[in-house]
Amino acid sequence: MIRINPDHFSRCRAVLFLLLFLIWSAQANSLEALGAPEDTADITVGCLYPMSGRAGVLGRDSVVGIRLALKFLEQRGAPDLPRLRVLLGDTKSKRSTAVTIAERFVHEEGATFLCGVVNSSVAIQVTEIAASANAFFIGTDHASSRLTDEFFHDRYFRVTNDTRQSMTAGALFVRDYFDDHLKKKPLRISYLGPDYEYGYQVWADFREALNKLGVDYEIAGTLWPRLSEPDYSHYINELIRQKPDLVVNSLWGGDFVAFVTQATDTRLFDVSRFANFEKGGDYEIFAHLGDRMPLGLLLASRHHNNWPETDFNRWFVQEFQRQAGYYPSSGAQGAFTGILAIAEAARQVSGDYGNLEGIERAFENLSLTTPEDPPGFQSSMDPVTHQIRQVMAIGETVEDPRYPPANVMLGNWQIYYPSDYEQVHSARE
């Protein structure tokens, strides 16, 4: 019989726990770094994205987008471009985690730039950290218009469309698409959005634009499921009961996939037109749903794999697919654009990378060609709001098998330029 000394066993167990703790601590404190090594980098950029959960695909796609941006800059071979060191942090879609990582980036890693962030509530926390540290924050995927309004600071710049732009384009689309109906009677609208900052702001921006345009509408009801809601049956049944002419939905990512999956087994899409003018047209939605993606939904996103049909967008989509083995969601293009924007603004200070005021001025006057720019148009920064000015494309789901595993993409496009949606708000400004 083998006898085990209890004291010896306790000491071994304590040593084992210590080793496990040290391994966990090392993993928790390690950061993935891309681009230039620390000792040769001109600028350190700390990017924050969720890498797991329902929003994880946007974070993982964003990392591929960053890699493509660094490769694109390297291939340009311009001697005046800064050498970028890009650190990656997994926010897990949690504000506390994002705050910890952002503070580490600026205070321990010397980052003068923060970038990324998917969740708008997380972005509000991160922008406050950037402001207090006099660091830049380049928003690539969150969308609440409050970031360029009440939470605005001089070094925040967003390189993708915000909720005000997308929902103003949505209001213009409603006015045009439902023109015959509106000539006869008000449009009954139901709204369903996530019960947090982003969902509230989408609804506020949409109603503001409808009112500015003089669209005659009635609110049939508003519904607020929590983030990562597992069961939407109650909300779907309530929407059917409300009998709106149009359901406007602002769920995104895995939440939107779950909603549409559950709604396809009901009459919802038969009794009401259905729209999502923010993120419903993301490729990830089409890829997840495959044959179950309904036709005739009115959707938009911040990037489309099949529009615009430019050489730059084709290169971006094909190169992403070659690198990742699948096609990109909109988050990838946002991250790609963010890195290009940082490099271009920093290039204009002629090597004086400590001249943050000069970089700030360069950002305010930034013009940049992005994969989502149609022919003859170039994205540009609004120097007052620090919000990029881009084209909005809204489409209808149609059969299109060119981007498997998706069998449905957007078509029948309606295109809205910055001059279209900015004119709507000019009276208020």
Side-chain angles (χ1 to χ4, degrees), residues 191-204 207 221-227 229 232 234-235 250-251:
Y191 175 75
L192 183 144
D195 188 14
Y196 79 110
E197 158 62 30
Y198 168 78
Y200 312 143
Q201 198 59 45
V202 167
W203 183 225
R207 285 178 292 133
T222 55
L223 300 170
W224 305 98
R226 69 182 186 273
L227 201 62
E229 171 68 51
Y232 292 99
H234 164 72
Y235 302 99
S250 65
L251 299 179

Side-chain angles (χ1 to χ4, degrees), residues 182-409:
L182 290 167
K183 289 176 181 177
K184 302 172 185 176
K185 57 182 178 179
L187 189 72
R188 283 176 51 81
I189 298 175
S190 290
Y191 175 75
L192 183 144
D195 188 14
Y196 79 110
E197 158 62 30
Y198 168 78
Y200 312 143
Q201 198 59 45
V202 167
W203 183 225
D205 287 337
F206 185 51
R207 285 178 292 133
E208 180 185 20
L210 290 174
N211 294 336
K212 288 279 187 181
L213 287 166
V215 174
D216 191 7
Y217 70 98
E218 298 173 351
I219 300 173
T222 55
L223 300 170
W224 305 98
R226 69 182 186 273
L227 201 62
S228 300
E229 171 68 51
D231 183 5
Y232 292 99
S233 58
H234 164 72
Y235 302 99
I236 294 167
N237 290 333
E238 180 61 18
L239 289 171
I240 293 172
R241 188 197 66 79
Q242 291 173 0
K243 298 180 180 178
D245 301 308
L246 174 67
V247 174
V248 176
N249 178 298
S250 65
L251 299 179
W252 54 276
D255 285 6
F256 190 64
V257 170
F259 181 93
V260 173
T261 299
Q262 295 171 35
T264 53
D265 295 327
T266 73
R267 297 184 299 117
L268 179 61
F269 299 136
D270 296 324
V271 299
S272 299
R273 295 311 305 263
F274 184 90
N276 184 313
F277 300 122
E278 257 285 298
K279 294 275 286 177
D282 251 14
Y283 174 77
E284 61 165 312
I285 309 295
F286 306 143
H288 272 89
L289 289 169
D291 291 333
R292 288 179 61 83
M293 186 69 198
L295 302 179
L297 304 190
L298 309 172
L299 307 176
S301 187
R302 299 183 194 119
H303 172 256
H304 305 280
N305 291 335
N306 62 334
W307 185 93
E309 295 185 4
T310 61
D311 290 341
F312 196 11
N313 195 40
R314 278 190 288 267
W315 172 87
F316 176 78
V317 172
Q318 292 168 4
E319 188 64 18
F320 184 101
Q321 199 278 337
R322 191 179 73 82
Q323 293 286 333
Y326 59 92
Y327 292 101
S329 66
S330 66
Q333 195 271 163
F336 177 87
T337 300
I339 296 301
L340 262 57
I342 291 170
E344 177 58 27
R347 182 189 67 82
Q348 297 184 33
V349 296
S350 303
D352 184 11
Y353 302 119
N355 181 9
L356 301 186
E357 291 78 11
I359 295 176
E360 181 183 321
R361 289 192 296 272
F363 255 110
E364 289 179 338
N365 295 283
L366 183 69
S367 292
L368 191 69
T369 300
T370 77
E372 66 174 298
D373 292 341
F377 180 87
Q378 187 177 48
S379 296
S380 61
M381 190 66 65
D382 184 321
V384 177
T385 65
H386 293 188
Q387 169 63 52
I388 205 163
R389 304 171 71 250
Q390 293 181 319
V391 174
M392 291 294 305
I394 299 174
E396 185 174 7
T397 50
V398 297
E399 293 182 357
D400 185 342
R402 292 177 297 165
Y403 303 88
N407 291 310
V408 169
M409 298 290 284

